[in-house]
């Protein structure tokens, strides 16, 4: 597990840079035998130190972002982009190094922009793959608030810069703009967005979550990377995340989705969990939920590497 304590371009609330440590603290009270995934800890789970320079660049970029909000300055904005690019590069190098060593690699953010380097490393290591993206937001804005590497632009960057991400399947989206709707429509066949309102309408009309999940994962190829923004869940499960939105998946629905992917014959090649943020008063609920979701993702990724299972 590669932690990336970086949240420079968050546009509403900060705190995701403290997500990796919040998850680590909460993990000490997670029972390690899991009813669904068994004992993934036996495979060996290691939370590494952050890639060199990431935390320092995060603090410096945040200072410059806050100065920009007081006085717009294009040179300073470019400096923030440079720092974000350097973080992407550091994450890609670290993730790529462990992939070459034969490891299953997960990334813990940090804001969602921190996922780009990890996704790029997986594409360069494995070649073409699909991407399952759970999020309240489409993250398909171009250079949101003028930042090339904004947390709200990560999937736009993936689609534009990583053509070997053959399919992007999005689940739980409920906050998006007209630009993103147009981008989704323009890339039909590559981007499949399952809006939260549509999923719930079908559930209310009597469809089962099992049937919906089968449709969700159907376009994905044999090898899949999972990018999971915690705000894809109901915000009662992540009240301190940076941009909470009413609606979203229950914990059970999210776990069922990951399980269905892992048992479909596909392989989970890698994953990230981002936007987990502890409360300002030390509230550990977000870290608790994040630690448990992460353990499920690790377990199902390991199971998927062994082939289909009931």
């Amino acid at each position: 597990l590669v932690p990336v304590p970086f949240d420079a371009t968050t546009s509403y609330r900060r705190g995701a840079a403290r997500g990796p440590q919040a998850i680590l603290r909460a993990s000490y009270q997670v029972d390690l035998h899991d009813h669904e995934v068994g004992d993934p800890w036996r495979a060996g789970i290691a939370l590494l130190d952050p890639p060199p320079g990431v935390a320092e660049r995060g603090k410096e970029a945040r200072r410059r972002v806050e100065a920009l909000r007081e006085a717009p300055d294009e040179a300073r904005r470019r400096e923030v982009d440079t720092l974000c690019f350097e973080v992407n590069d550091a994450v890609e190098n670290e993730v790529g190094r462990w992939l070459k060593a034969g490891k299953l690699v997960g990334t813990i953010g940090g804001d969602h922009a921190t996922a780009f380097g990890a996704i790029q490393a997986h594409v360069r290591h494995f070649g073409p793959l699909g991407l399952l993206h759970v999020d309240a937001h489409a993250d398909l804005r171009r250079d949101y608030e003028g930042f090339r590497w904004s947390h709200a632009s990560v999937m736009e960057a993936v689609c534009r810069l990583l053509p070997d991400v053959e399919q992007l399947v999005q689940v739980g989206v409920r906050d998006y703009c007209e630009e993103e709707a147009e981008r989704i429509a323009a890339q039909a066949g590559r981007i499949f967005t399952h809006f939260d309102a549509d999923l719930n309408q079908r559930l209310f009309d009597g469809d089962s979550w099992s049937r919906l999940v089968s449709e969700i994962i159907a376009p994905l190829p044999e090898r899949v990377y999972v990018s999971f923004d915690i705000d894809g869940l109901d915000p009662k499960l992540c009240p301190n995340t940076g941009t909470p939105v009413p609606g979203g998946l229950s914990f059970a629905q999210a776990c069922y989705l990951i399980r269905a992917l892992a048992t479909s014959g596909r392989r989970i090649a890698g994953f990230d969990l981002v936007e987990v943020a502890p409360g300002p008063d030390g509230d550990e609920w977000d870290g608790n939920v994040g630690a448990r979701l992460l353990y499920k993702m690790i377990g199902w990724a390991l199971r998927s590497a062994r082939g289909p299972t009931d």
Side-chain angles (χ1 to χ4, degrees):
L1 299 173
V2 177
V4 191
F6 185 91
D7 62 357
T9 66
T10 48
S11 50
Y12 187 50
R13 293 192 308 204
R14 292 182 61 184
R18 303 196 309 274
Q21 282 302 310
I23 289 173
L24 177 62
R25 285 194 302 271
S27 71
Y28 294 129
Q29 60 86 42
V30 175
D31 280 321
L32 296 181
H33 180 72
D34 184 271
H35 180 70
E36 292 184 309
V37 297
D39 297 298
W41 65 270
R42 294 183 185 277
I45 301 171
L47 178 65
L48 307 177
D49 292 328
V54 165
E56 295 77 11
R57 287 185 176 95
K59 292 175 184 177
E60 181 60 31
R62 193 71 215 185
R63 282 195 292 269
R64 297 181 190 219
V65 168
E66 291 179 354
L68 275 168
R69 287 174 179 161
E70 296 293 327
D73 180 282
E74 283 308 308
R76 188 174 287 122
R77 195 180 302 279
R78 288 193 296 272
E79 290 168 356
V80 173
D81 278 339
T82 297
L83 289 165
C84 292
F85 175 82
E86 290 171 353
V87 168
N88 282 337
D89 194 48
V91 171
E92 181 191 353
N93 288 338
E94 183 74 358
V95 171
R97 180 165 71 92
W98 289 106
L99 289 173
K100 288 177 183 176
K103 302 297 184 181
L104 172 68
V105 185
T107 306
I108 308 175
D111 69 41
H112 211 151
T114 61
F116 183 86
I119 296 168
Q120 186 171 43
H122 280 81
V123 168
R124 288 185 172 174
H125 183 77
F126 290 110
L129 47 73
L131 200 159
L132 176 63
H133 171 213
V134 181
D135 205 320
H137 310 86
D139 289 352
L140 287 166
R141 301 168 191 252
R142 179 71 181 266
D143 300 349
Y144 185 60
E145 294 186 333
F147 296 116
R148 181 182 180 190
W149 300 109
S150 169
H151 70 113
S153 302
V154 61
M155 293 303 158
E156 190 279 334
V158 165
C159 289
R160 178 165 45 89
L161 300 174
L162 303 180
D164 277 345
V165 174
E166 296 179 325
Q167 283 85 32
L168 170 62
V169 175
Q170 303 183 298
V171 184
V173 174
R174 50 201 188 274
D175 250 23
Y176 61 101
C177 68
E178 186 175 6
E179 172 196 352
E180 291 173 296
E182 291 171 353
R183 188 159 285 122
I184 290 165
Q187 297 196 48
R190 187 187 184 199
I191 301 176
F192 303 83
T193 304
H194 298 271
F195 297 102
D196 196 56
D198 294 338
L199 292 174
N200 278 295
Q201 183 64 56
R202 289 184 60 183
L203 289 171
F204 296 150
D205 289 342
D207 260 336
S208 69
W209 184 238
S210 174
R211 178 182 297 181
L212 294 180
V213 166
S214 293
E215 294 178 14
I216 288 167
I217 66 176
L220 290 166
E222 185 274 334
R223 199 181 304 274
V224 180
Y225 181 97
V226 178
S227 188
F228 202 119
D229 187 325
I230 198 77
D231 70 28
L233 299 178
D234 186 319
K236 68 187 178 186
L237 297 169
C238 50
N240 297 297
T241 191
T243 46
V245 184
L249 304 184
S250 71
F251 189 81
Q253 286 176 322
C255 291
Y256 186 93
L257 174 62
I258 303 302
R259 174 178 180 153
L261 177 67
T263 59
S264 68
R266 296 170 177 83
R267 178 179 176 184
I268 299 175
F271 56 88
D272 61 68
L273 177 61
V274 298
E275 305 281 359
V276 175
D281 57 355
D283 178 12
E284 293 189 353
W285 179 235
D286 298 66
N288 185 314
V289 173
R292 294 172 185 278
L293 179 60
L294 181 65
Y295 198 54
K296 294 278 192 183
M297 293 172 72
I298 292 168
W300 285 121
L302 289 167
R303 292 277 291 274
S304 75
R306 297 200 297 264
T309 182
D310 292 331

